[in-house]
Amino acid sequence: MINKYIQSITGFGILLVVIGHAAGVLPERIPEIAATDTMYQIYTQLHTVIYTFHMPLFFCISGFLYFHSGSNFKLGWPAFLQKKTARLLIPYVAISTFVYPLKVLVSSFALRPQTLDLATYVNALIFPWQNPIVFFWFLPTLFVMLILAKCLIKKDKTIVNDTVLLVAACVMFFVFKHQQLDGVLAFMNIGGVLHNFIFFLFGVYVSKYCDGFVLKEKVSMWQALPFFLILPLVSLAEKTPIILFLFAIFGTSFSLLMVKSYPLPIFETFGKYAYQIYLLSWFPQIFIRILFGQIWFVSIWLNIILSVTFGLLVPILVVKLLDKFPIKFVNKCLAIK
């Protein structure tokens, strides 16, 4: 039951990611369209809300799975690093390398144009916020975070007192930046690792102390009331760290409760393919944005609907094809077993 629930919450999370990446046009056009389309203005507000907690939710899921899976504590360092490299870094390097020349070719349509030279390519790999697929920052960030977790968190004994670790992680959220663009902390987004570790730790503690919640058949959505009470403050979230922190915690908690209360089969389906959707959704979503958002603009809603639909379905189709006609190298690059 717990695996089914985690798959569903992962599916809900990846749906939020795809919706969040489906704005339909480049950022400079969003205010212009929102000014004449009330529904799109509502969508942009929803987009802002999603961005306050959808990645903290994935760090929370990662922390939960890290603690819930006994294998992370049994593996020695070489096996642990090999496993996480295969899962996170190989897809990161392989897909980034494939996309890099493509991004150079379409730079005239890109939000962040790329130039073709070795230094730019290397920087795109070791400084995640310079990657041609910018939302791939999550992969090296999680890799480094798992190493940090391996050092600090044990299954049966405490290396660092839970309360001390929680307080330290809260402090790091406010001290370090999520989007580390320059300086030594930009390497593998170490600053982002320290900023987001609190959400990973949140997942660890849910697994460690609240397994009963996960196994309960029913929960009350009234427990999500704090999230709805702070929604009017969303415009302050980007500028006010404490408001952003509340949105991240309450939004993650709301997601856990919502999926528990309404376990829609579609969430479980998306969860089954969530990682490959994350890795591959950029391709159809960027294609649709360029074609219908920049070359031939028809309707913002056509862009959004097509972007969400193909962003979810194309990766699933690719996985199904590779299941039927496996290509070992491609399967490895997409972390398909």
Side-chain angles (χ1 to χ4, degrees):
M1 181 177 179
I2 193 168
N3 291 334
K4 184 177 180 179
Y5 172 65
I6 291 299
Q7 194 170 77
S8 294
I9 191 65
T10 303
F12 175 69
I14 202 63
L15 177 61
L16 294 182
V17 168
V18 173
I19 292 173
H21 294 157
V25 291
L26 290 173
E28 58 262 26
R29 289 207 61 192
I30 291 176
E32 168 198 341
I33 299 172
T36 58
D37 188 329
T38 303
M39 288 302 295
Y40 186 67
Q41 186 175 20
I42 294 172
Y43 170 82
T44 60
Q45 292 172 342
L46 173 64
H47 185 275
T48 301
V49 173
I50 287 173
Y51 264 72
T52 62
F53 72 87
H54 71 319
M55 296 319 295
L57 173 62
F58 275 102
F59 283 121
C60 174
I61 295 169
S62 300
F64 183 96
L65 291 174
Y66 179 87
F67 193 84
H68 181 72
S69 172
S71 64
N72 289 309
F73 302 103
K74 295 175 183 177
L75 289 175
W77 274 104
F80 179 82
L81 291 174
Q82 182 180 16
K83 180 180 179 181
K84 301 311 176 186
T85 297
R87 177 70 174 172
L88 298 169
L89 293 190
I90 288 179
Y92 175 70
V93 173
I95 298 175
S96 299
T97 301
F98 177 75
V99 165
Y100 177 64
L102 298 179
K103 189 70 176 285
V104 173
L105 287 174
V106 299
S107 276
S108 59
F109 296 101
L111 175 62
R112 297 176 307 105
Q114 299 279 328
T115 57
L116 188 60
D117 62 79
L118 182 60
T120 301
Y121 166 71
V122 172
N123 285 342
L125 293 179
I126 64 176
F127 301 112
W129 288 103
Q130 297 182 30
N131 195 274
I133 304 179
V134 70
F135 61 79
F136 269 19
W137 64 266
F138 178 76
L139 298 174
T141 302
L142 182 59
F143 179 80
V144 176
M145 192 176 291
L146 289 168
I147 293 174
L148 181 62
K150 180 77 169 170
C151 294
L152 296 177
I153 301 169
K154 302 298 177 183
K155 188 76 173 180
D156 301 317
K157 59 181 179 178
T158 302
I159 298 299
V160 179
N161 180 274
D162 284 352
T163 302
V164 172
L165 190 57
L166 181 64
V167 171
C170 286
V171 171
M172 289 192 299
F173 174 88
F174 294 100
V175 172
F176 298 99
K177 294 180 180 178
H178 163 65
Q179 187 171 341
Q180 192 66 50
L181 298 175
D182 50 36
V184 66
L185 295 180
F187 176 73
M188 298 295 278
N189 196 34
I190 292 173
V193 171
L194 299 174
H195 174 87
N196 288 294
F197 191 65
I198 181 62
F199 309 119
F200 184 93
L201 203 58
F202 182 34
V204 167
Y205 290 163
V206 169
S207 178
K208 189 173 183 179
Y209 299 113
C210 305
D211 262 0
F213 161 77
V214 177
L215 295 173
K216 283 173 62 179
E217 292 186 4
K218 293 182 179 180
V219 294
S220 172
M221 278 299 289
W222 283 105
Q223 296 174 60
L225 185 60
F227 178 67
F228 293 100
L229 291 177
I230 66 171
L231 280 179
L233 301 177
V234 68
S235 61
L236 301 175
E238 290 185 5
K239 300 176 182 178
T240 313
I242 186 63
I243 300 297
L244 180 61
F245 180 76
L246 291 175
F247 265 95
I249 293 295
F250 290 152
T252 297
S253 302
F254 163 76
S255 301
L256 298 176
L257 291 166
M258 198 281 293
V259 173
K260 194 66 182 174
S261 301
Y262 305 101
L264 302 180
I266 194 69
F267 294 154
E268 190 177 349
T269 300
F270 291 153
K272 181 180 178 181
Y273 302 98
Y275 192 40
Q276 286 71 42
I277 291 173
Y278 172 77
L279 294 175
L280 296 175
S281 60
W282 180 88
F283 294 92
Q285 291 196 292
I286 287 296
F287 174 78
I288 288 165
R289 194 204 72 196
I290 291 174
L291 180 60
F292 294 111
Q294 294 172 262
I295 296 176
W296 182 36
F297 184 81
V298 178
S299 162
I300 189 62
W301 292 106
L302 175 67
N303 295 10
I304 292 171
I305 291 169
L306 289 178
S307 185
V308 172
T309 302
F310 284 93
L312 292 168
L313 296 186
V314 168
I316 293 175
L317 177 61
V318 170
V319 174
K320 287 184 175 293
L321 286 173
L322 288 170
D323 283 342
K324 194 170 184 179
F325 307 104
I327 304 172
K328 188 175 181 181
F329 173 75
V330 176
N331 283 32
K332 189 174 183 179
C333 290
L334 298 179
I336 299 173
K337 296 180 180 179

